[in-house]
């Protein structure tokens, strides 16, 4: 009851005219920045940080929260329309979301993303009050659990997203290879850098995702546009809302995606990339059992689940930051620095030392979700009109924004050359039917798997049995064996049907 009373006081503080203005400004800025490839909420918060010292702390953090959530909406908009995710958390949304856009359902895809983000964010805002309990769950994860989780994601994704397991594994190996480039964190030795100082810090996931997904798609379209120009002329229905049947189809995926995303706001695996891929994979597996599988054709569930998962993770990540002082994403880490610059230390004592700020900030999460839904849902039809731009101008603009986004994140010409090289890699993968998702999974989870493997071996003096002890790794390995068995069975059944 005390928590509810404090939350009511927080709403009274957040609903003051000036704080409402900062919520709206933050949501608009976050959405605008998220639309640009390579730029995300973390960069927006970093740029705003020195500009907000004139504000009182409550207004500043309400602004940051709006930017944080708004960035996810903007990322999804361009991921769906242009196959150009602004950040790694929107990568999974491109697979079915962009197919929906190409199939003339761009407004419905944007509405699905907006409602999914709203559902995931609102539920996460409620669960924020349970952040300490989620932290107890995350405490059960050690090197063995993280390694088992990464291995499960590697094999499951590689075997499902492609008809050819060999092509899926090839893509995964490419992603793992790219992830190992740079200075080894333990030994300090160079790995696959060819002696170039530009590669000492490794290759950014943003660069890889923008190059392989966006630039690779542009090159693929350019190579075929003269052969089949009609295939790249987008049309869409003007309906900016979901029908009853579409809502019924998407609702279970929103709930499942939210359930998957909630714990990852506390488990430090680097952000929302992992839960969005897991939510996508779960929906794909469910879809394969249906009489008429829709994945690969613009399945609404394949978009709804990642969107809900991403925003659910973001919401609980904010709770973990406030209640535990635990930053589990780049944006949360920057906000932690902002707290410290204001002389505040996130953690359990923050609720006693600055209750007005904390509860007003928590209340602003709910308000931001509503504001973002109001901003994005009615304008889905107008965002979708970007697809009516002639192809030669549309894709040329994508290339320009890709270059600007990558250059803005590093200021290095070398990264532009890297963008081109990886874009050519993405083009070749599309040309030969090699799936992109395993490469990105390898990039996201490769460092986590490597670090967990080495930490586990160091803590056990080289004893590999440490990775098969404990209930969580055994459950994950058991699920992995089931996945492999089902995949092999599916391949054999499909081969037998083709022979008949």
């Amino acid at each position: 009851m005390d928590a509810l009373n404090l939350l009511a006081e927080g709403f009274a503080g957040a609903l003051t005219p000036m704080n409402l203005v900062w919520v709206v400004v933050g949501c608009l800025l976050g959405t605008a920045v998220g639309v640009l490839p390579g730029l995300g909420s973390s960069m927006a918060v970093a740029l705003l940080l020195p500009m907000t010292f004139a504000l009182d702390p409550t207004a500043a953090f309400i602004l940051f929260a709006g930017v944080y959530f708004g960035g996810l909406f903007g990322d999804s908009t361009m991921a769906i329309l242009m196959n150009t995710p602004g950040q790694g958390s929107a990568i999974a949304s491109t697979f079915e979301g962009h197919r929906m856009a190409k199939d003339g359902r761009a407004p419905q895809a944007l509405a699905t993303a907006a409602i999914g983000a709203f559902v995931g964010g609102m539920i996460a805002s409620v669960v924020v009050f349970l952040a300490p309990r989620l932290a107890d769950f995350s405490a059960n994860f050690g090197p063995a659990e993280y390694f088992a989780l990464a291995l499960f994601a590697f094999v499951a994704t590689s075997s499902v997203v492609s008809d050819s397991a060999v092509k899926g594994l090839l893509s995964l190996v490419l992603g793992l290879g790219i992830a190992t480039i740079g200075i080894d964190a333990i030994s300090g030795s160079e790995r696959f850098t060819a002696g170039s100082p530009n590669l000492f810090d490794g290759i950014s996931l943003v660069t890889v995702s923008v190059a392989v997904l966006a630039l690779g798609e542009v090159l693929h379209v350019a190579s075929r546009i003269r052969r089949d120009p009609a295939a790249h002329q987008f049309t869409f229905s003007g309906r900016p809302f979901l029908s009853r049947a579409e809502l019924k189809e998407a609702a279970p995926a929103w709930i499942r995606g939210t359930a998957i995303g909630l714990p990852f706001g506390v488990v430090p695996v680097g952000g929302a990339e992992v839960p969005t891929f897991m939510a996508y994979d779960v929906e794909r597996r469910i879809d394969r059992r249906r009489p008429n599988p829709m994945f690969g054709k613009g399945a609404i569930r394949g978009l709804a689940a990642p969107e809900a998962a991403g925003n659910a993770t973001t919401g609980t990540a904010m709770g973990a930051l406030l209640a535990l002082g635990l930053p589990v994403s780049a944006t949360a880490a920057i906000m932690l620095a902002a707290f410290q610059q204001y002389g505040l230390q996130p953690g359990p004592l923050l609720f006693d030392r600055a209750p007005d700020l904390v509860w007003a900030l928590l209340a602003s999460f709910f308000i931001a979700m509503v504001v973002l839904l109001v901003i994005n849902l009615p304008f889905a039809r107008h965002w979708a009109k970007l697809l009516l731009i002639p192809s030669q101008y549309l894709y040329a603009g994508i290339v320009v924004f890709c270059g600007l986004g990558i250059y803005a994140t590093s200021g290095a010409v070398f990264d532009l050359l890297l963008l081109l090289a990886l874009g050519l890699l993405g083009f070749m993968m599309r040309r030969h039917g090699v799936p992109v998702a395993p490469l990105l999974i390898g990039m996201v989870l490769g460092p986590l798997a490597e670090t967990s493997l080495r930490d586990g071996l160091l803590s056990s003096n080289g004893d590999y049995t440490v990775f098969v002890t404990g209930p969580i790794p055994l459950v994950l390995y058991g699920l992995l064996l089931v996945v492999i068995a089902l995949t092999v069975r599916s391949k054999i059944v499909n081969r037998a049907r083709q022979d008949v």
Side-chain angles (χ1 to χ4, degrees):
M1 187 62 70
D2 290 339
L4 292 177
N5 291 333
L6 290 169
L7 182 61
E9 293 177 7
F11 270 106
L15 290 172
T16 59
M18 281 309 301
N19 283 340
L20 275 177
V21 168
W22 291 122
V23 171
V24 174
V25 169
C27 291
L28 289 172
L29 283 175
T31 304
V33 171
V35 165
L36 299 176
L39 303 180
S41 55
S42 58
M43 176 175 291
V45 172
L47 292 175
L48 288 172
L49 189 56
M51 305 179 190
T52 54
F53 288 129
L55 301 177
D56 67 272
T58 301
F61 285 106
I62 285 176
L63 174 65
F64 292 154
V67 171
Y68 196 3
F69 289 110
L72 295 177
F73 275 77
D75 293 340
S76 301
T77 297
M78 295 309 288
I80 291 167
L81 297 181
M82 307 297 185
N83 201 29
T84 309
Q87 294 193 104
S89 57
I91 293 172
S93 298
T94 63
F95 302 137
E96 298 302 319
H98 189 58
R99 288 188 179 95
M100 288 180 68
K102 293 172 72 173
D103 196 33
R105 294 186 291 154
Q108 292 89 326
L110 292 172
T112 301
I115 297 173
F118 175 78
V119 171
M122 287 296 284
I123 294 176
S125 297
V126 174
V127 175
V128 160
F129 301 109
L130 304 176
R133 295 184 183 179
L134 289 176
D136 293 338
F137 170 74
S138 70
N140 295 321
F141 274 70
E145 286 75 16
Y146 284 127
F147 181 75
L149 179 65
L151 188 62
F152 177 82
F154 289 155
V155 177
T157 305
S158 302
S159 62
V160 169
V161 298
S162 175
D163 293 332
S164 170
V166 174
K167 290 181 178 179
L169 289 173
L170 173 62
S171 178
L172 175 65
V173 170
L174 284 173
L176 291 173
I178 295 172
T180 59
I181 294 174
I183 299 293
D184 180 22
I186 295 180
S187 67
S189 60
E190 300 176 24
R191 300 191 301 185
F192 310 111
T193 62
S196 172
N198 295 297
L199 292 174
F200 285 175
D201 291 332
I203 299 177
S204 166
L205 175 64
V206 173
T207 302
V208 174
S209 60
V210 170
V212 174
L213 289 172
L215 190 56
E217 175 75 9
V218 169
L219 295 174
H220 180 68
V221 168
S223 70
R224 302 186 62 84
I225 196 165
R226 292 187 180 275
R227 298 181 187 178
D228 190 12
H232 308 290
Q233 294 176 358
F234 296 101
T235 59
F236 58 87
S237 65
R239 176 166 57 89
F241 55 86
L242 299 181
S243 66
R244 181 176 297 179
E246 288 168 334
L247 284 171
K248 185 178 179 181
E249 178 78 5
W254 286 327
I255 300 302
R256 282 191 292 265
T258 300
I260 291 171
L262 288 175
F264 281 90
V266 181
V267 177
V269 293
E273 292 90 345
V274 175
T276 53
F277 274 110
M278 290 183 66
Y280 173 82
D281 186 53
V282 166
E283 296 303 320
R284 187 181 180 94
R285 291 182 181 283
I286 294 173
D287 183 73
R288 288 168 71 92
R289 299 182 180 181
R290 304 175 75 182
N292 182 26
M294 291 299 298
F295 269 59
K297 306 173 187 177
I300 194 169
R301 291 190 180 194
L303 172 62
E307 286 297 318
N311 274 263
T313 301
T314 300
T316 49
M318 290 295 294
L321 176 65
L322 291 173
L324 309 169
L326 177 68
V328 295
S329 68
T331 309
I334 295 171
M335 291 185 69
L336 176 61
F339 270 107
Q340 292 170 347
Q341 290 194 16
Y342 276 102
L344 300 169
Q345 179 58 48
L349 295 178
L350 182 65
F351 286 78
D352 295 326
R353 294 176 177 175
D356 294 342
L357 184 153
V358 172
W359 291 103
L361 182 56
L362 290 175
S364 75
F365 295 170
F366 295 93
I367 299 170
M369 289 296 106
V370 176
V371 169
L372 284 166
L373 189 66
V374 170
I375 290 174
N376 286 276
L377 197 56
F379 290 97
R381 178 175 11 185
H382 302 289
W383 279 115
K385 288 182 179 179
L386 289 172
L387 298 178
L388 299 180
I389 300 172
S391 297
Q392 61 270 32
Y393 303 123
L394 176 64
Y395 288 106
I398 293 174
V399 172
V400 170
F401 280 117
C402 287
L404 287 175
I406 296 303
Y407 189 76
T409 59
S410 64
V413 176
F414 178 82
D415 281 356
L416 295 178
L417 298 176
L418 200 59
L419 176 72
L420 178 59
L422 292 171
L424 290 172
L425 173 63
F427 165 68
M428 295 302 296
M429 292 175 70
R430 283 171 171 78
R431 175 60 63 91
H432 296 287
V434 178
V436 174
L439 183 149
L440 298 170
I441 280 286
M443 275 288 297
V444 171
L445 289 180
L448 175 68
E450 181 188 17
T451 302
S452 300
L453 176 64
R454 297 171 79 170
D455 288 348
L457 292 175
L458 286 171
S459 63
S460 64
N461 293 321
D463 183 6
Y464 283 89
T465 60
V466 70
F467 296 106
V468 290
T469 56
I472 296 177
L474 290 176
V475 169
L476 289 172
Y477 290 134
L479 290 174
L480 181 58
L481 291 175
V482 172
V483 167
I484 294 174
L486 291 175
T487 302
V488 171
R489 179 181 177 276
S490 176
K491 304 281 186 191
I492 293 173
V493 170
N494 291 336
R495 183 72 58 85
R497 288 176 180 173
Q498 291 176 359
D499 292 340
V500 173

